[in-house]
Amino acid sequence: MTKEHAALEKRKIIDKFLMKLTKEDPQMYYASTYEVARSIHTMIKEHTNRLSVDDQALVRHMTVEEIQGLLGFHLK
């Protein structure tokens, strides 16, 4: 898997957790990027076993800062 493909896959996983997070807590829409990233990081740690093996490998060592960076990156 190339770096670009891995980054896109990570972004898809982050987006999935972001949708779940904002559905469960709509007020997170107004939170800082760091707070959202920290919440997503916690969710990933709690739900890793529900992800595919490939997805688990992608997110296993993600940091809050990496998630924050992915949240701030907009695809064209």
Side-chain angles (χ1 to χ4, degrees):
M1 182 180 295
T2 65
K3 279 185 167 184
E4 292 82 18
H5 184 67
L8 286 173
E9 290 302 312
K10 285 181 181 181
R11 178 63 193 232
K12 287 180 187 177
I13 295 166
I14 297 302
D15 286 345
K16 183 173 67 172
F17 280 104
L18 178 61
M19 287 188 329
K20 180 178 170 116
L21 178 64
T22 55
K23 184 177 181 181
E24 291 175 0
D25 185 3
Q27 292 299 315
M28 287 304 284
Y29 179 83
Y30 302 103
S32 70
T33 305
Y34 182 79
E35 289 177 74
V36 173
R38 191 178 63 211
S39 295
I40 290 173
H41 185 264
T42 300
M43 289 176 74
I44 288 172
K45 295 300 179 194
E46 292 172 353
H47 296 76
T48 299
N49 60 341
R50 296 182 188 161
L51 298 173
S52 71
V53 174
D54 291 337
D55 289 351
Q56 287 180 28
L58 284 172
V59 300
R60 182 172 289 124
H61 300 292
M62 285 185 77
T63 64
V64 174
E65 291 77 16
E66 184 178 0
I67 295 170
Q68 187 176 7
L70 288 169
L71 288 170
F73 177 71
H74 297 285
L75 297 173
K76 291 184 179 180

